[in-house]
Amino acid sequence: MRSHRAETFTRVIDAVFACNGGFLAAGDALTGPVGLTAAQWQVLGFLEDGPATAAEVARRRGLRRQSVQETVNRLLRNGMLDRLPNPADARAPMLSLTRRARTAMRALGEAQAEWAEEVAAEVPPADLETTLRTLQRLRGVVAQPRLR
Protein backbone atom coordinates (compact mmCIF):
# COMPACT_ATOMS: atom_id res chain seq x y z
CA MET A 1 0.00 0.00 0.00
CA ARG A 2 1.26 3.48 -0.89
CA SER A 3 2.01 6.07 1.74
CA HIS A 4 0.13 9.35 1.76
CA ARG A 5 3.33 11.06 0.58
CA ALA A 6 3.72 8.66 -2.37
CA GLU A 7 0.05 9.10 -3.28
CA THR A 8 0.35 12.89 -3.17
CA PHE A 9 3.52 12.76 -5.26
CA THR A 10 1.73 10.59 -7.84
CA ARG A 11 -1.04 13.20 -8.00
CA VAL A 12 1.62 15.89 -8.54
CA ILE A 13 3.02 13.89 -11.46
CA ASP A 14 -0.45 13.54 -12.97
CA ALA A 15 -1.04 17.29 -12.61
CA VAL A 16 2.32 18.11 -14.22
CA PHE A 17 1.54 15.81 -17.16
CA ALA A 18 -1.87 17.46 -17.58
CA CYS A 19 -0.31 20.93 -17.40
CA ASN A 20 2.34 19.92 -19.91
CA GLY A 21 -0.36 18.88 -22.36
CA GLY A 22 -2.10 22.20 -21.87
CA PHE A 23 1.16 24.12 -22.24
CA LEU A 24 1.99 22.28 -25.47
CA ALA A 25 -1.47 23.02 -26.88
CA ALA A 26 -1.12 26.70 -25.92
CA GLY A 27 2.39 26.71 -27.39
CA ASP A 28 1.12 25.28 -30.66
CA ALA A 29 -1.58 27.96 -30.77
CA LEU A 30 0.99 30.70 -30.13
CA THR A 31 3.55 29.36 -32.61
CA GLY A 32 1.17 28.47 -35.45
CA PRO A 33 0.98 32.02 -36.85
CA VAL A 34 4.78 32.09 -37.32
CA GLY A 35 4.92 28.60 -38.83
CA LEU A 36 6.40 26.74 -35.86
CA THR A 37 5.34 24.13 -33.31
CA ALA A 38 5.75 24.22 -29.55
CA ALA A 39 8.55 21.64 -29.83
CA GLN A 40 10.39 23.80 -32.35
CA TRP A 41 9.90 26.82 -30.11
CA GLN A 42 11.51 24.96 -27.19
CA VAL A 43 14.62 24.26 -29.27
CA LEU A 44 14.82 27.79 -30.69
CA GLY A 45 14.28 29.28 -27.24
CA PHE A 46 17.25 27.37 -25.86
CA LEU A 47 19.45 28.52 -28.74
CA GLU A 48 18.58 32.18 -28.17
CA ASP A 49 21.33 32.16 -25.52
CA GLY A 50 23.91 31.03 -28.08
CA PRO A 51 24.94 28.07 -30.21
CA ALA A 52 24.70 24.54 -28.78
CA THR A 53 24.57 20.96 -29.99
CA ALA A 54 21.35 18.97 -30.28
CA ALA A 55 22.55 16.77 -27.41
CA GLU A 56 23.06 19.82 -25.17
CA VAL A 57 19.56 21.07 -25.98
CA ALA A 58 18.08 17.66 -25.15
CA ARG A 59 20.00 17.31 -21.89
CA ARG A 60 19.21 20.82 -20.61
CA ARG A 61 15.55 20.70 -21.64
CA GLY A 62 15.06 17.20 -20.24
CA LEU A 63 14.01 15.83 -23.64
CA ARG A 64 14.93 12.72 -25.61
CA ARG A 65 17.91 13.34 -27.88
CA GLN A 66 16.21 11.61 -30.83
CA SER A 67 13.15 13.87 -30.55
CA VAL A 68 15.31 16.98 -30.39
CA GLN A 69 17.32 15.79 -33.41
CA GLU A 70 14.10 15.31 -35.43
CA THR A 71 12.98 18.82 -34.47
CA VAL A 72 16.42 20.23 -35.35
CA ASN A 73 16.28 18.55 -38.76
CA ARG A 74 12.91 20.20 -39.50
CA LEU A 75 14.23 23.58 -38.34
CA LEU A 76 17.30 23.20 -40.57
CA ARG A 77 15.07 22.37 -43.57
CA ASN A 78 12.85 25.38 -42.79
CA GLY A 79 15.77 27.80 -42.67
CA MET A 80 15.48 28.46 -38.94
CA LEU A 81 18.87 27.03 -37.95
CA ASP A 82 22.42 27.06 -39.26
CA ARG A 83 25.07 24.43 -38.56
CA LEU A 84 28.42 25.70 -37.28
CA PRO A 85 31.64 23.74 -36.83
CA ASN A 86 32.16 22.32 -33.35
CA PRO A 87 35.86 22.35 -32.43
CA ALA A 88 35.18 19.91 -29.56
CA ASP A 89 33.42 17.28 -31.74
CA ALA A 90 33.30 17.41 -35.54
CA ARG A 91 30.41 14.90 -35.55
CA ALA A 92 28.15 17.14 -33.43
CA PRO A 93 27.74 20.52 -35.11
CA MET A 94 26.82 23.60 -33.14
CA LEU A 95 23.37 24.95 -33.98
CA SER A 96 22.66 28.65 -34.34
CA LEU A 97 19.52 30.69 -34.99
CA THR A 98 19.10 32.31 -38.38
CA ARG A 99 17.75 35.82 -38.88
CA ARG A 100 14.39 34.25 -39.79
CA ALA A 101 14.31 32.38 -36.48
CA ARG A 102 15.19 35.52 -34.50
CA THR A 103 12.32 37.37 -36.17
CA ALA A 104 9.90 34.56 -35.30
CA MET A 105 11.17 34.46 -31.72
CA ARG A 106 10.60 38.21 -31.28
CA ALA A 107 7.00 37.84 -32.47
CA LEU A 108 6.50 34.83 -30.19
CA GLY A 109 8.00 36.66 -27.23
CA GLU A 110 5.34 39.32 -27.44
CA ALA A 111 2.48 36.83 -27.84
CA GLN A 112 3.80 34.61 -25.05
CA ALA A 113 4.17 37.54 -22.64
CA GLU A 114 0.55 38.53 -23.23
CA TRP A 115 -0.63 34.92 -22.74
CA ALA A 116 1.50 34.52 -19.60
CA GLU A 117 0.04 37.70 -18.09
CA GLU A 118 -3.48 36.40 -18.62
CA VAL A 119 -2.76 32.97 -17.14
CA ALA A 120 -0.61 34.24 -14.27
CA ALA A 121 -3.35 36.68 -13.25
CA GLU A 122 -5.43 33.64 -12.22
CA VAL A 123 -2.85 32.34 -9.71
CA PRO A 124 -1.50 34.19 -6.65
CA PRO A 125 2.16 35.23 -7.14
CA ALA A 126 3.24 33.38 -3.97
CA ASP A 127 1.75 30.15 -5.35
CA LEU A 128 3.65 30.60 -8.60
CA GLU A 129 6.92 31.12 -6.70
CA THR A 130 6.30 28.04 -4.55
CA THR A 131 5.44 25.97 -7.62
CA LEU A 132 8.59 27.10 -9.39
CA ARG A 133 10.83 26.23 -6.43
CA THR A 134 9.11 22.88 -5.97
CA LEU A 135 9.38 21.88 -9.62
CA GLN A 136 13.03 22.91 -9.74
CA ARG A 137 13.72 20.80 -6.65
CA LEU A 138 11.82 17.82 -8.03
CA ARG A 139 13.70 18.03 -11.32
CA GLY A 140 16.98 17.81 -9.41
CA VAL A 141 15.74 14.91 -7.30
CA VAL A 142 14.43 12.80 -10.18
CA ALA A 143 17.62 13.43 -12.16
CA GLN A 144 19.63 11.62 -9.47
CA PRO A 145 20.22 7.92 -10.11
CA ARG A 146 18.20 5.67 -7.81
CA LEU A 147 19.17 2.23 -6.57
CA ARG A 148 16.57 -0.41 -7.27
Side-chain angles (χ1 to χ4, degrees):
M1 184 154 95
R2 285 188 200 179
S3 69
H4 177 69
R5 182 183 304 182
E7 186 62 37
T8 300
F9 180 64
T10 300
R11 290 176 45 219
V12 168
I13 293 168
D14 290 343
V16 168
F17 285 157
C19 282
N20 185 57
F23 293 151
L24 290 173
D28 284 337
L30 288 167
T31 58
V34 295
L36 295 171
T37 66
Q40 291 169 335
W41 187 17
Q42 281 186 359
V43 170
L44 294 177
F46 182 86
L47 295 171
E48 278 187 306
D49 292 336
T53 66
E56 289 171 318
V57 173
R59 187 172 45 256
R60 296 279 305 281
R61 288 285 196 215
L63 302 170
R64 288 182 23 250
R65 191 194 169 298
Q66 182 179 355
S67 297
V68 170
Q69 189 60 59
E70 290 169 7
T71 300
V72 163
N73 291 341
R74 282 192 300 273
L75 290 166
L76 286 163
R77 283 192 304 272
N78 294 340
M80 294 287 194
L81 292 178
D82 285 327
R83 283 188 183 103
L84 304 173
N86 182 351
D89 184 352
R91 296 169 297 145
M94 301 296 283
L95 303 166
S96 176
L97 299 183
T98 63
R99 179 174 288 140
R100 181 175 177 212
R102 290 188 188 286
T103 300
M105 293 302 285
R106 272 193 302 279
L108 282 172
E110 294 168 14
Q112 189 275 340
E114 190 175 304
W115 175 82
E117 282 292 336
E118 289 176 21
V119 173
E122 300 292 320
V123 181
D127 288 356
L128 290 173
E129 291 292 335
T130 298
T131 301
L132 176 61
R133 282 192 310 275
T134 302
L135 290 174
Q136 289 170 333
R137 175 73 177 123
L138 285 172
R139 183 174 184 194
V141 169
V142 299
Q144 297 172 5
R146 300 276 176 221
L147 297 176
R148 302 279 172 204

